[in-house]
């Protein structure tokens, strides 16, 4: 009698397949690796970060890490999943002997693997090109919390859009949100340099919370309570809504 | 419900909002049997198959796949069901070997990707991006994915759509071999050649109901008998009326009807067998009128004719 493979093997195979396809999508590599690293090098080189103390690169590295997480979770995962939905890939996977949770776990695992690559590239570029060194007060647990929290929030938002909107609409909206995060997310410009009403809103957005949390993890800030609360709230909301509203075709 | 049915729908009802898509559909497929589900677009074929896949929930009736509720069977049941979606449900940037390897990894002892791709005639395209495959090649890949876990039952959606004649022939042979090995197969199609050459039974679905069910021969036998003929030129209205009177004198009331879309001089006479008296009357009238008969066909009832009578579907692909 035909039998299913172990759920772990099936899920791991799907995660590896997702990563292989990600590597084949040139636009994915551009948005997840080249743009965050390029923004880091460009703004650090021209020194165009107003209102900060210390070297621009120390502000920009955490911002670039946040941008990388946004690119993987919101943009790449959102767009890929939306097109998979329109091509019937998700429907076909729904008919395969894979547990329901296997698809979500495989996608999140592929995003995390991509993020580890992004982190490595950004830190390597920062160290080798911009003479950046991690601060003595760097907190690995806080760094891990930022990475995990950011992944949940932005993967949740990506899946929320992908599971409810047409693929073309998801493509347009995620790219628009990516640009908005770049501008008001504390990535290349400190949030407190924004006009007061925008600053008030920006502090409650997950992009600024994530960049602040990375900044704290790399020893640049002591305030972690508000960013953690903001990320947790957005994470619960985005993941919960995505789970409730996701349509497989 | 028959205990041995591999697929069973019993009085299944499905509604989308106020629209009833399936209004009490009953259908069984047994091991070693191919059943073709035919119907025009919107008849409810896809919904019926998606209910068997466990993808949709029926609003009423009973659904069983290998004796289990497909919504509750989980991976253990899905491993026993081979699923072929039209279009394949494939990422255009993937390759056939990647796709088959992925689905093989989801089965215990899944088939070897290279061997399976060779079986469906894709040995030369294993590394080709799916977006570069032809429609027929994608269908063959979708069939490979259905077979990758060596399933006991198969749901095939338009299995030969888009294929060239040679690929159709080899795919039909492959499907026939699967039946010979005892597998139960439900296929949906618009291709009546698939039905006539493969199906043990056919069910015609229209307006959410099975309007006819039986062997292809039984279903075809329900069609009206016809006489078909083609003349060297189109008849004028008065000539057509005169021919009708001549034929009616020889047989039951018989009115020649010009066939739409099949040449200006092609006619048929419905509702009567092509008995010798009728043929003689036709020949005599044509001789007197100086009209040459180019073709005369005592048309046996066909599945296509019966299908069109029942559904009025013009999208069906006739027997090639």
């Amino acid at each position: 009698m035909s039998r299913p493979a172990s759920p772990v093997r099936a899920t791991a195979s799907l995660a590896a397949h997702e990563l292989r396809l990600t590597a084949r999508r040139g636009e994915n590599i551009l948005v997840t690796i080249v743009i965050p690293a390029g923004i880091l090098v460009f703004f650090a080189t021209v020194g165009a970060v107003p209102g900060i103390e210390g070297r621009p690169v120390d502000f920009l590295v955490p911002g670039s890490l946040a941008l990388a997480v946004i690119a993987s979770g919101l943009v790449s995962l959102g767009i890929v999943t939306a097109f998979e939905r329109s091509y019937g890939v998700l429907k076909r996977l729904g008919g395969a002997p894979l547990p329901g949770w296997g698809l979500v776990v495989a996608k999140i695992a592929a995003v995390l693997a991509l993020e580890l690559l992004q982190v490595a590239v950004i830190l390597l570029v920062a160290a080798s090109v911009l003479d950046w060194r991690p601060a003595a007060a760097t907190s690995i647990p806080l760094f891990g919390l930022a990475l995990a929290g950011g992944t949940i929030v932005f993967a949740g938002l990506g899946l929320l859009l992908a599971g409810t909107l047409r693929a073309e609409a998801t493509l347009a909206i995620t790219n628009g949100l990516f640009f908005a995060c770049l501008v008001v997310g504390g990535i290349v410009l400190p949030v407190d340099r924004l006009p007061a009403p925008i600053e008030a809103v920006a502090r409650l957005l997950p992009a600024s919370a994530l960049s602040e949390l990375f900044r704290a993890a790399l020893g640049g800030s002591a305030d972690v309570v508000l960013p953690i609360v903001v990320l947790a709230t957005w994470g619960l909301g985005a993941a919960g809504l995505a789970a409730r509203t996701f349509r497989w075709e | 419900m028959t205990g041995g049915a591999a697929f069973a729908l019993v009085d299944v009802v499905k509604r989308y909002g106020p629209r009833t898509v399936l209004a009490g559909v009953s259908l069984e497929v047994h091991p070693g049997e191919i059943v073709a589900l035919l119907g025009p677009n919107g008849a409810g074929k896809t919904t019926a198959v998606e209910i068997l896949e466990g993808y949709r929930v029926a609003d009423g009736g009973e659904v069983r796949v290998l004796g289990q509720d497909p919504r509750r069977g989980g991976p253990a049941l899905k491993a026993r069901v081979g699923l072929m979606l039209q279009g394949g449900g494939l990422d255009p940037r993937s390759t056939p070997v990647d796709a088959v390897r992925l689905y093989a990894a989801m089965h215990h002892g899944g088939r070897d990707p290279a061997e399976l791709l060779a079986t469906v005639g894709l040995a030369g395209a294993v590394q080709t991006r799916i977006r570069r495959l032809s429609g027929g090649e994608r269908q063959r890949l979708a069939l490979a994915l259905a077979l990758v876990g060596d399933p006991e039952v198969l749901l095939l959606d338009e299995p030969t759509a888009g294929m060239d004649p040679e690929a159709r022939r080899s795919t039909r042979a492959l499907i026939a071999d699967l039946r010979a090995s005892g597998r139960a197969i439900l296929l949906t199609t618009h291709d009546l050649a698939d039905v006539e050459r493969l199906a043990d039974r056919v069910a015609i679905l229209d307006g959410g109901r099975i309007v006819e069910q039986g062997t292809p021969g039984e279903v075809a036998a329900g069609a009206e008998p016809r006489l078909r003929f083609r003349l060297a030129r189109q008849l004028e209205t008065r000539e057509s009326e005169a021919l009708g009177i001549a034929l009616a004198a020889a047989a039951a009331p018989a009115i020649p009807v010009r066939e739409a879309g099949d040449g200006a001089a092609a006619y048929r006479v419905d509702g009567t067998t092509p008995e010798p008296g009728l043929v003689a009357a036709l020949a005599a009238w044509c001789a007197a009128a100086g009209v040459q008969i180019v073709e005369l066909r005592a048309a046996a009832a066909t599945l296509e004719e019966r299908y069109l009578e029942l559904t009025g579907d013009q999208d069906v692909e006739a027997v090639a």
Side-chain angles (χ1 to χ4, degrees), chain A residues 17-159:
Chain A
H17 184 76
E18 295 269 341
L19 272 177
R20 201 176 300 123
L21 292 187
T22 298
R24 285 184 192 157
R25 297 182 186 109
E27 69 274 20
N28 274 27
I29 303 300
L30 179 72
V31 79
T32 58
I33 293 178
V34 177
I35 288 179
I39 281 175
L40 169 66
V41 172
F42 176 78
F43 282 93
T45 304
V46 300
V49 183
I52 58 163
E53 296 173 4
R55 298 196 313 153
V57 67
D58 293 325
F59 180 87
L60 289 166
V61 167
S64 299
L65 291 169
L67 190 66
V69 170
I70 293 165
S72 297
L74 176 66
V75 183
S76 177
L77 178 66
I79 293 172
V80 166
T81 305
F83 277 96
E84 283 180 343
R85 189 171 145 241
S86 75
Y87 295 141
V89 174
L90 300 183
K91 183 181 178 187
R92 183 65 189 80
L93 284 170
L98 177 75
W101 52 262
L103 177 66
V104 177
V105 170
K107 284 196 168 290
I108 298 296
V111 168
L112 281 171
L114 177 60
E115 286 172 350
L116 291 178
L117 177 65
Q118 292 173 298
V119 168
V121 168
I122 287 170
L123 296 186
L124 196 65
V125 166
S128 61
V129 178
L130 304 170
D131 197 27
W132 174 85
R133 295 291 178 269
T138 295
S139 166
I140 299 295
L142 197 55
F143 192 94
L145 180 68
L147 198 62
T151 302
I152 291 170
V153 171
F154 288 102
L157 288 171
L159 292 175

Side-chain angles (χ1 to χ4, degrees), chain B residues 227 229-231 243 246-247 250 269 275-296:
Chain B
L227 173 67
F229 55 95
R230 188 183 297 272
L231 305 177
L243 174 58
L247 296 180
V269 179
E275 58 192 68
L278 185 68
V279 175
L282 173 65
W285 185 89
C286 286
V291 179
Q292 187 186 351
I293 299 174
V294 177
E295 182 184 350
L296 178 67

Side-chain angles (χ1 to χ4, degrees), chain B:
Chain B
M1 184 193 310
T2 306
F7 294 113
L9 296 171
V10 183
D11 208 18
V12 167
V13 175
K14 178 66 184 176
R15 298 183 195 89
Y16 294 131
R19 196 163 67 94
T20 299
V21 180
L22 298 179
V25 167
S26 295
L27 180 70
E28 290 188 351
V29 187
H30 294 266
E33 182 182 43
I34 297 177
V35 174
L37 188 57
L38 268 177
N41 293 329
K45 298 191 302 292
T46 301
T47 299
V49 170
E50 287 180 344
I51 286 172
L52 286 169
E53 291 166 6
Y55 193 74
R56 297 197 188 282
V57 191
D59 295 317
E62 191 177 354
V63 184
R64 284 287 179 269
V65 174
L66 292 165
Q68 300 180 56
D69 179 347
R71 295 283 294 178
R72 300 179 188 280
L77 179 60
K78 287 176 179 173
R80 301 169 67 192
V81 180
L83 188 60
M84 176 186 183
L85 301 185
Q86 198 178 7
L90 298 158
D91 192 308
R93 299 198 205 204
S94 186
T95 64
V97 73
D98 283 344
V100 175
R101 193 177 289 142
L102 169 65
Y103 281 88
M106 295 180 187
H107 291 84
H108 182 79
R111 292 178 63 175
D112 176 63
E115 174 263 324
L116 182 54
L117 287 168
T119 301
V120 298
L122 285 177
V126 293
Q127 296 284 5
T128 304
R129 296 287 167 90
I130 287 168
R131 67 168 180 262
R132 298 191 192 284
L133 297 180
S134 68
E137 287 173 326
R138 288 185 195 201
Q139 282 301 89
R140 281 186 265 168
L141 177 55
L143 180 59
L145 295 185
L147 301 177
V148 74
D150 206 14
E152 295 159 58
V153 297
L154 288 138
L155 288 167
L156 308 179
D157 191 3
E158 302 278 357
T160 62
M163 291 184 183
D164 60 46
E166 172 56 26
R168 282 186 186 213
R169 189 195 60 74
S170 60
T171 300
R172 286 177 189 142
L174 181 58
I175 293 171
D177 286 346
L178 292 166
R179 168 182 49 197
S181 66
R183 289 171 172 87
I185 301 169
L186 176 64
L187 60 89
T188 63
T189 184
H190 273 97
D191 186 346
L192 291 173
D194 280 349
V195 178
E196 294 202 330
R197 290 169 193 174
L198 281 175
D200 300 296
R201 286 191 300 120
V202 56
I204 298 178
L205 190 62
D206 191 36
R209 295 179 189 279
I210 302 270
V211 293
E212 191 90 296
Q213 192 167 180
T215 66
E218 288 168 350
V219 172
E224 281 190 347
R226 287 190 171 95
L227 173 67
R228 284 209 157 92
F229 55 95
R230 188 183 297 272
L231 305 177
R233 65 170 174 81
Q234 186 182 331
L235 298 180
E236 295 173 10
T237 305
R238 60 176 178 75
E239 289 178 314
S240 187
E241 288 170 356
L243 174 58
I245 291 167
L247 296 180
I255 301 167
V257 178
R258 189 153 66 85
E259 294 202 282
D262 193 22
Y267 295 84
R268 70 168 192 267
V269 179
D270 292 333
T272 181
T273 53
E275 58 192 68
L278 185 68
V279 175
L282 173 65
W285 185 89
C286 286
V291 179
Q292 187 186 351
I293 299 174
V294 177
E295 182 184 350
L296 178 67
R297 190 152 59 97
T302 66
L303 180 62
E304 180 188 0
E305 286 165 348
R306 183 59 177 149
Y307 175 76
L308 292 173
E309 278 176 15
L310 289 166
T311 67
D313 180 20
Q314 297 300 318
D315 293 333
V316 69
E317 202 166 331
V319 177

